[in-house]
Amino acid sequence: MNQIESLDRLINELSKLPAVGKKTAQRYAYFLLSMNESDVRDFADAIITAKESVHYCKICANFTDKEICDICSRPDKEPIVCVVKEPKDVTALERVRDFKGSYHVLHGVINPLENKGPNDINLRSLLDRVNNEHIQEVIVATNPDVEGEATAMYIANLLKPLGVKVTRIAQGI
């Protein structure tokens, strides 16, 4: 690539971002190098601060900088939980501002090809929530691909004996 080791390292690190190939990583690297030092330090500090302060909500496993996220802290939320694959799905659904329940982030879906089974996603705490929070309905909003459907079916079968209503909506986020 380049003869400059530190630039090659920056390009390599940027190319680890999703959907960023080597050419895009190179453009980002050149852009960062053209920024003034103060802006670069602010950018780097924002990344480090987010990495240090953002963690998972102890209830729903969504991103938060508090112990319990703002969504789980809502006093007027309905006894409905919407199950999603990733925190970005919560963000997308919250943009609509129609849902009055809370969320549960799985951090993955069942995918045998990637050796990801039910024990590898955040299901245990979902069962705990359903049992302890008097949840009336669980909406499973995973993608309509094979893995999302398998996960939705597994969750429905898991919750059926608990007497909670399970609704399936296919989500293409």
PDB file of all heavy atoms in Angstrom, residues 38 40 77 128 157:
ATOM      1  N   SER A  38      -7.088  19.875  16.559  1.00  0.00           N
ATOM      2  CA  SER A  38      -8.120  19.982  17.587  1.00  0.00           C
ATOM      3  C   SER A  38      -9.357  19.156  17.217  1.00  0.00           C
ATOM      4  O   SER A  38      -9.918  18.445  18.060  1.00  0.00           O
ATOM      5  CB  SER A  38      -8.505  21.452  17.778  1.00  0.00           C
ATOM      6  OG  SER A  38      -9.591  21.561  18.645  1.00  0.00           O
ATOM      7  N   VAL A  40      -9.438  16.566  15.194  1.00  0.00           N
ATOM      8  CA  VAL A  40      -9.064  15.150  15.245  1.00  0.00           C
ATOM      9  C   VAL A  40      -9.085  14.657  16.686  1.00  0.00           C
ATOM     10  O   VAL A  40      -9.594  13.577  16.984  1.00  0.00           O
ATOM     11  CB  VAL A  40      -7.682  14.908  14.597  1.00  0.00           C
ATOM     12  CG1 VAL A  40      -7.216  13.483  14.842  1.00  0.00           C
ATOM     13  CG2 VAL A  40      -7.726  15.204  13.107  1.00  0.00           C
ATOM     14  N   LYS A  77     -45.099   3.163  30.301  1.00  0.00           N
ATOM     15  CA  LYS A  77     -44.973   2.128  29.265  1.00  0.00           C
ATOM     16  C   LYS A  77     -45.991   1.014  29.480  1.00  0.00           C
ATOM     17  O   LYS A  77     -46.359   0.676  30.603  1.00  0.00           O
ATOM     18  CB  LYS A  77     -43.555   1.594  29.199  1.00  0.00           C
ATOM     19  CG  LYS A  77     -43.064   0.825  30.392  1.00  0.00           C
ATOM     20  CD  LYS A  77     -41.627   0.374  30.168  1.00  0.00           C
ATOM     21  CE  LYS A  77     -41.100  -0.376  31.349  1.00  0.00           C
ATOM     22  NZ  LYS A  77     -40.707   0.409  32.460  1.00  0.00           N
ATOM     23  N   ASP A 128     -36.884 -14.080  32.114  1.00  0.00           N
ATOM     24  CA  ASP A 128     -36.980 -13.466  33.443  1.00  0.00           C
ATOM     25  C   ASP A 128     -37.935 -12.279  33.424  1.00  0.00           C
ATOM     26  O   ASP A 128     -38.742 -12.110  34.338  1.00  0.00           O
ATOM     27  CB  ASP A 128     -35.603 -13.018  33.937  1.00  0.00           C
ATOM     28  CG  ASP A 128     -34.679 -14.186  34.239  1.00  0.00           C
ATOM     29  OD1 ASP A 128     -35.167 -15.333  34.377  1.00  0.00           O
ATOM     30  OD2 ASP A 128     -33.458 -13.954  34.321  1.00  0.00           O
ATOM     31  N   ASN A 157     -42.210 -20.574  20.817  1.00  0.00           N
ATOM     32  CA  ASN A 157     -42.324 -21.866  21.494  1.00  0.00           C
ATOM     33  C   ASN A 157     -41.870 -21.791  22.946  1.00  0.00           C
ATOM     34  O   ASN A 157     -42.421 -22.465  23.812  1.00  0.00           O
ATOM     35  CB  ASN A 157     -41.524 -22.941  20.750  1.00  0.00           C
ATOM     36  CG  ASN A 157     -42.167 -23.330  19.438  1.00  0.00           C
ATOM     37  OD1 ASN A 157     -43.383 -23.210  19.283  1.00  0.00           O
ATOM     38  ND2 ASN A 157     -41.365 -23.772  18.492  1.00  0.00           N
TER      39      ASN A 157
END
